[in-house]
Amino acid sequence: MKKMVGFGDFMLRLNPEGYLRFIQADRFQVNYTGAEANVCVSLAMMGIETDFVTRLPDNAIAEAGVAQLRKFGVGVGHIAYGGERMGVFYAEKGASQRPSKIVYDRKYTSIATCSYDDFDWDAIFDGASNFHITGITPALSSTAPQVCAEACRKAKEMGLTVSCDLNYRKNLWSEAEAKACMTRLMPYIDVLVANEEDAEKVLGIKARDTDVTSGRLNRESYVDVADQICRIYGTQTVAVTLRRSISASDNEWSAMLYTGGRAYFSRKYMIHLVDRVGGGDSFSAGLLYGLMNGYTPQETVEYAAAASCLKQTIELDFNLSTHEEVEKLVAGDGSGRVQR
């Protein structure tokens, strides 16, 4: 029986209704989210047992968020309580040539002030097969990197497969800080997920002839990037999401999976975006689903790309697509016709 444990921040997302700008808004929509929590929800929707671990304040706002996780079947029995606040991010949805904007309020939160002793990792990892983190969690405070490193070390000691989405966030730390921390974590990582920029900004490995701002992607250069990561850090599997941003409303989306010295590319999807936040997390979930269920590398990258394609057509952060819906898209049914 496969079981995935995710560890990271859980926070409030507040956004104006529809496409209103911050300066226009007189109210905000409330949502609960977090990169690792998004992965847990997505996998739970696909039928995988998941457990989300974080640290939250003991108050009604946090409990409302935990109730959302329970609603979608995510285990919450190992959440630690302490500290005084949840983090918040404000999201202004972009459209056409106007980009989306994110404003963070994440300092001095419960997860940022946690310590390794807040979590009983032996109990948390008991019966689990996989452990997932992202590069967001160690960026939250000066103590968070050590907590993440110790959790990864314990997971490896107990025989779990450790996955990580680099998820570089320039609003949380500098490239130098990210590189210093994440290169220390890399020896523990079996499965690494990155986007077009992460490998360069976090690991210093640049894809040749690529400019994400102009939308120029050299797919083959990412094979070299993935090969370097595997050779330098001993990583078994590297997955790269390939987003060509035509505008804030329309993106071309595909992915590459590199394993066993060979690269596998998914088909390309042209997505008219509803909400792109969480797209990378849903890709990680789809990737892990394929790997946990013994899919071939080609089947795995196709499943992951399709899952993340569907998520970006769903409002808010969770991918609420089922396994059957993902498989239908993988099989080529992307017409969007009404299901009657």
Side-chain angles (χ1 to χ4, degrees):
M1 181 66 178
K2 299 292 186 179
K3 177 182 177 181
M4 201 279 290
V5 173
F7 172 64
D9 198 6
F10 192 52
M11 57 194 303
L12 282 165
R13 167 181 165 175
L14 302 177
N15 53 270
E17 295 177 337
Y19 291 89
L20 291 178
R21 305 208 68 183
F22 289 137
I23 199 169
Q24 296 174 288
D26 60 2
R27 71 196 72 184
F28 287 90
Q29 182 177 16
V30 177
N31 181 41
Y32 293 89
T33 184
E36 298 86 353
N38 295 341
V39 174
C40 286
V41 169
S42 185
L43 281 171
M45 288 290 298
M46 295 172 185
I48 297 290
E49 183 180 0
T50 64
D51 202 350
F52 179 61
V53 181
T54 189
R55 184 172 183 257
L56 295 171
D58 188 7
N59 62 37
I61 300 300
E63 184 54 39
V66 172
Q68 286 291 305
L69 294 174
R70 289 196 189 98
K71 173 182 177 181
F72 295 111
V74 176
V76 295
H78 293 292
I79 290 177
Y81 289 90
E84 299 182 359
R85 65 185 302 262
M86 293 180 70
V88 179
F89 83 88
Y90 301 85
E92 178 185 282
K93 191 183 294 187
S96 192
Q97 281 70 41
R98 177 173 59 85
S100 298
K101 289 188 176 181
I102 302 293
V103 177
Y104 287 128
D105 177 13
R106 304 179 75 160
K107 290 185 177 180
Y108 316 117
T109 60
S110 293
I111 187 68
T113 56
C114 74
S115 71
Y116 185 80
D117 293 334
D118 286 314
F119 309 100
D120 182 351
W121 296 104
D122 286 288
I124 290 168
F125 292 142
D126 184 34
S129 59
N130 292 71
F131 178 52
H132 184 71
I133 61 168
T134 73
I136 295 174
T137 304
L140 297 176
S141 69
S142 60
T143 58
Q146 184 61 29
V147 177
C148 292
E150 288 299 310
C152 288
R153 182 194 63 79
K154 187 64 176 179
K156 291 292 288 183
E157 179 184 298
M158 294 181 65
L160 279 70
T161 297
V162 179
S163 56
C164 176
D165 185 341
L166 284 179
N167 250 345
Y168 176 67
R169 295 291 184 268
K170 66 180 181 181
N171 289 342
L172 295 179
W173 57 358
S174 68
E175 292 180 26
E177 290 171 323
K179 185 175 182 179
C181 173
M182 298 307 294
T183 52
R184 289 197 298 269
L185 292 183
M186 285 299 296
Y188 301 112
I189 307 303
D190 301 300
V191 180
L192 186 72
V193 179
N195 66 20
E196 304 93 341
E197 300 174 278
D198 289 339
E200 176 186 357
K201 295 184 180 300
V202 179
L203 302 179
I205 301 173
K206 179 175 173 56
R208 300 185 308 273
D209 193 29
T210 292
D211 185 343
V212 298
T213 302
S214 67
R216 188 177 73 249
L217 300 180
N218 179 356
R219 298 199 325 170
E220 295 305 320
S221 70
Y222 288 104
V223 179
D224 179 58
V225 168
D227 181 66
Q228 289 188 60
I229 292 172
C230 290
R231 285 190 289 104
I232 293 170
Y233 297 106
T235 311
Q236 297 174 13
T237 300
V238 176
V240 179
T241 55
L242 304 171
R243 183 190 296 274
R244 188 168 73 89
S245 186
I246 298 166
S247 70
S249 301
D250 296 282
N251 285 184
E252 183 182 80
W253 180 260
S254 62
M256 182 202 76
L257 176 62
Y258 185 87
T259 188
R262 181 180 171 186
Y264 302 83
F265 288 91
S266 77
R267 75 186 65 180
K268 294 180 181 179
Y269 294 97
M270 186 61 68
I271 310 172
H272 185 69
L273 299 173
V274 171
D275 195 332
R276 64 170 284 176
V277 178
D281 303 327
S282 59
F283 175 83
S284 293
L287 176 74
L288 291 173
Y289 185 92
L291 295 173
M292 293 168 79
N293 284 283
Y295 285 20
T296 67
Q298 190 64 50
E299 289 170 339
T300 298
V301 73
E302 295 290 2
Y303 189 91
S308 53
C309 171
L310 287 176
K311 190 276 136 209
Q312 293 172 83
T313 69
I314 298 171
E315 291 281 9
L316 305 179
D317 301 57
F318 294 160
N319 184 14
L320 303 181
S321 304
T322 65
H323 169 68
E324 291 74 20
E325 289 171 329
V326 177
E327 287 286 16
K328 186 172 289 187
L329 181 57
V330 170
D333 186 358
S335 65
R337 290 174 61 87
V338 174
Q339 302 291 310
R340 299 185 188 277

